[in-house]
Structures are given as C-alpha cells and as structure tokens.
C-alpha cells in the first residue's frame, strides 16, 4: 500500500481566512533577514508561538549543498519515472509524486542519522522507510493531520530544492495558527500537540507569503521521517 495512504488522514475542509492576518513573531520581527531560527516561526499570538516553541522547530542549513546533491542523486532517477498526480481533487496532496526508501548511500545515511538524533526521543522506534514527497511547482499539501494509528509523536522533514511555508492551524480553534518558513536545506520538526492538535499544510506558490514577505515556491522535495506510536 502506498505510504501516503497509510500516513495521511484526510481531515476537514481547509480553513478559510478572512481579512488581515496579524503576525506576531517569537522575536522582535525584523523580516526574513537575518534568518535566525526563531524568526522562522510566526503566529496568531505571541503566547501561541511561545507555548508551541519546543514542539515546532526549524533548523536552517541543516544540510549542506553537497548533502542536498547526494539526496537528489539518489532520488531523481526513481522519481523521474513517475508522473505528478494532479487529478484527485479530494486528495490531501495536489501535484505530487512520492516514493519511500529504506537503504541509503553513506552521505544520505549520515544526514539521516543526524536528523534522527536531533528529532526523535531516545528509544523511539522509527517508521522503517523514509518517505519522499516531490511537489511540483504547482503542487501543494492541504491541511491534514498524519494518522495517529501509524505515526507517533514526532514528524521531521528535510526540504530540498525550494523554500516553502508550512502552516499549522489548531483543529478545534482555526484562529490559532502558526506559519513556519522552511528554507531550502532546512529541517523542521513537529512534536506532540503541534503534531496532534494542529493541521499542517504546505502553501501553494500563489499563497506563499511569510509575515508579509513573498516566498516563491518552486518544485520541492521533502524527506520525511516519522516514529511509530508507542
Ligand atoms: C505529509 C506531509 C510535509 C512535507 O506527507 O504528510 O505533511 O514537508 N508532508 O512534505
Ligand atoms: Mn503530514
């Protein structure tokens, strides 16, 4: 069975926002530059940004250009054989192709070990295959929560080829939200409530504005690791 079908629970209709979004950053907001990691998360209130601070992390430049190249070299041949899927209007993901991989060359395995050691609680059992999601420039991920049946407390993903914006919206209080700027080659980690009580999505190019700054969304490949429920 496709990994995606396993891990994604189709949630609810996407939240609709009316009017102006007031953005509050966890630090004195000075735009995108310099890209301090705490400037990569903004939200509907300072309290929410602070409350979820330890459950939402973005680590800039988690991998080098060479390491990104190593992933692309391993992944591109397999991905190129697949076609982007656009036509299933009710899917959680639009304009994507995907694969999964268990064994990796040394350079990628080194990165994945580094990722596992920073992202997952000691002793967690990880979902064996790593999930690879290749979003077309026109592709995007609609709001969803990963299946609690198949995935545990933590989701961690590398972003290759493009910057993007991940939006988290509280499932039972849609006016509570966070936007995460995911720079190319960064790592993001969602844990606990941020993973269970908030939907997450990757914005489409035309909506890709972070704290008032336009963030062009190109083709993006994510490399996603998950643990199993305990
Ligand atoms: C998913 C998902 C996020 C990403 O596949 O469930 O939310 O970074 N992916 O691609
Ligand atoms: Mn997901």
């Amino acid at each position: 069975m496709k990994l995606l079908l396993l891990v994604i629970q189709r949630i609810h209709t996407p939240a609709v926002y009316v009017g102006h979004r007031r953005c509050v950053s966890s630090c004195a907001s000075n735009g995108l530059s310099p890209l301090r990691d705490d400037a990569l998360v903004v939200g509907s209130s300072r309290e929410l940004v602070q409350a979820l601070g330890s459950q939402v992390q973005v680590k800039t430049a988690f991998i080098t250009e060479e390491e990104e190249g190593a992933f692309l070299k391993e992944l591109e041949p397999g991905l190129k054989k697949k076609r982007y899927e656009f036509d299933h209007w009710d899917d959680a993901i639009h304009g994507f192709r995907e694969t999964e991989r268990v064994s990796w060359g040394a350079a990628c395995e080194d990165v994945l070990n580094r990722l596992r050691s920073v992202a997952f609680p000691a002793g967690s059992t990880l979902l064996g295959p790593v999930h690879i999601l290749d979003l077309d420039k026109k592709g995007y991920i609609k709001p969803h929560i990963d299946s609690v049946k198949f995935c545990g407390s933590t989701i961690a993903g590398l972003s290759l080829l493009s910057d993007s914006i991940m939006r988290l919206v509280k499932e039972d209080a849609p006016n509570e939200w966070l936007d995460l700027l995911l720079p190319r080659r960064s790592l993001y980690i969602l844990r606990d409530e941020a993973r269970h009580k908030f939907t997450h999505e990757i914005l489409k190019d035309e909506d890709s504005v972070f704290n008032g700054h336009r963030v062009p969304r190109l083709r993006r490949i994510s490399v996603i690791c998950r643990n199993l429920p305990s």
Side-chain angles (χ1 to χ4, degrees):
M1 190 202 276
K2 277 189 171 182
L3 191 64
L4 188 69
L5 293 178
L6 272 179
V7 299
I8 292 208
Q9 255 175 353
R10 184 77 177 97
I11 304 304
H12 53 69
T13 41
V16 175
Y17 300 99
V18 182
H20 211 72
R21 301 168 72 85
R22 197 170 67 92
C23 289
V24 182
S25 154
S26 60
C27 65
S29 174
N30 54 358
L32 298 186
S33 168
L35 283 178
R36 285 179 37 180
D37 285 355
D38 60 357
L40 302 178
V41 181
V42 298
S44 50
S45 72
R46 191 174 304 276
E47 292 70 31
L48 184 67
V49 172
Q50 278 166 1
L52 286 186
S54 61
Q55 301 172 24
V56 170
Q57 275 181 294
V58 182
K59 293 176 177 291
T60 314
F62 189 76
I63 61 171
T64 64
E65 280 182 50
E66 291 71 29
E67 288 167 334
E68 180 185 45
F71 275 98
L72 294 173
K73 201 169 155 196
E74 284 207 34
L75 296 172
E76 279 283 34
L79 289 170
K80 276 194 180 138
K81 291 187 193 140
K82 302 177 182 225
R83 280 205 289 185
Y84 288 109
E85 297 179 35
F86 280 99
D87 25 12
H88 309 297
W89 62 270
D90 59 339
D91 277 353
I93 308 187
H94 181 82
F96 73 102
R97 49 193 184 184
E98 64 168 344
T99 186
E100 56 186 77
R101 184 172 283 247
V102 176
S103 60
W104 297 84
C108 297
E109 193 59 41
D110 281 354
V111 170
L112 291 169
N113 284 333
R114 207 161 78 221
L115 180 160
R116 290 170 186 129
S117 70
V118 302
F120 294 95
S124 19
T125 311
L126 302 193
L127 197 66
V130 174
H131 181 194
I132 315 301
L133 192 65
D134 178 352
L135 278 185
D136 179 73
K137 179 176 165 40
K138 292 196 167 67
Y140 56 94
I141 306 180
K142 298 174 195 170
H144 68 278
I145 295 175
D146 289 19
S147 163
V148 293
K149 225 161 127 190
F150 298 104
C151 314
S153 62
T154 306
I155 302 166
L158 297 170
S159 299
L160 313 182
L161 293 177
S162 178
D163 301 339
S164 58
I165 299 169
M166 177 177 274
R167 177 164 296 158
L168 270 56
V169 178
K170 194 157 193 216
E171 212 191 358
D172 57 6
N175 58 338
E176 293 187 34
W177 56 270
L178 295 179
D179 277 355
L180 280 51
L181 177 62
L182 307 180
R184 178 178 183 179
R185 295 190 287 275
S186 65
L187 170 70
Y188 70 83
I189 306 168
L190 305 180
R191 299 187 173 94
D192 304 327
E193 286 198 5
R195 173 261 182 276
H196 284 112
K197 299 207 169 141
F198 288 72
T199 61
H200 57 272
E201 62 193 291
I202 295 285
L203 301 187
K204 60 173 87 163
D205 180 49
E206 63 216 65
D207 297 337
S208 193
V209 175
F210 179 81
N211 210 10
H213 298 257
R214 166 95 179 115
V215 178
R217 242 298 315 290
L218 314 172
R219 176 188 174 205
R220 169 183 184 269
I221 297 178
S222 50
V223 176
I224 307 159
C225 298
R226 299 174 169 95
N227 57 1
L228 294 172
S230 45

